[in-house]
């Protein structure tokens, strides 16, 4: 299983890639929220949310707290 730091690093890389794409091409909200299959953003939001949830769960586990 990935460490929290590895997950955060992956999230930051995703953000960096998104920002570079947005600056070069612009991003239409429809393209981001309802991307076509195979597009640059296909699965992006779901993957990012999955990583974010794992990080939150790990942080709660470390702190001995619950969501």
């Amino acid at each position: 299983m990935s460490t929290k730091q590895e997950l955060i690093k992956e999230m930051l890389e995703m953000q960096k890639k998104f920002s570079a794409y947005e600056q070069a091409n612009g991003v239409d909200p429809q393209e981001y929220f309802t991307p076509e299959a195979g597009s640059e953003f296909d699965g992006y939001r779901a993957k990012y949310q999955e990583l974010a949830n794992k990080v939150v769960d790990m942080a709660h586990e470390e702190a001995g707290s619950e969501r």
Side-chain angles (χ1 to χ4, degrees):
M1 182 167 182
S2 297
T3 67
K4 187 170 66 171
Q5 291 78 18
E6 290 171 335
L7 295 174
I8 292 170
K9 182 178 177 182
E10 186 174 350
M11 291 171 68
L12 290 172
E13 287 297 320
M14 289 177 72
Q15 289 175 358
K16 183 178 177 181
K17 184 178 177 182
F18 176 86
S19 292
Y21 181 90
E22 180 183 32
Q23 289 175 7
N25 305 296
V27 176
D28 182 271
Q30 184 174 358
E31 180 183 21
Y32 178 75
F33 289 103
T34 57
E36 294 181 15
S39 78
E40 185 74 23
F41 300 111
D42 187 22
Y44 177 87
R45 290 178 60 227
K47 177 67 175 175
Y48 193 87
Q49 186 64 51
E50 176 188 334
L51 295 172
N53 285 334
K54 286 180 182 180
V55 170
V56 168
D57 290 342
M58 289 176 167
H60 277 293
E61 187 176 316
E62 290 173 4
S65 61
E66 296 179 16
R67 265 189 194 233

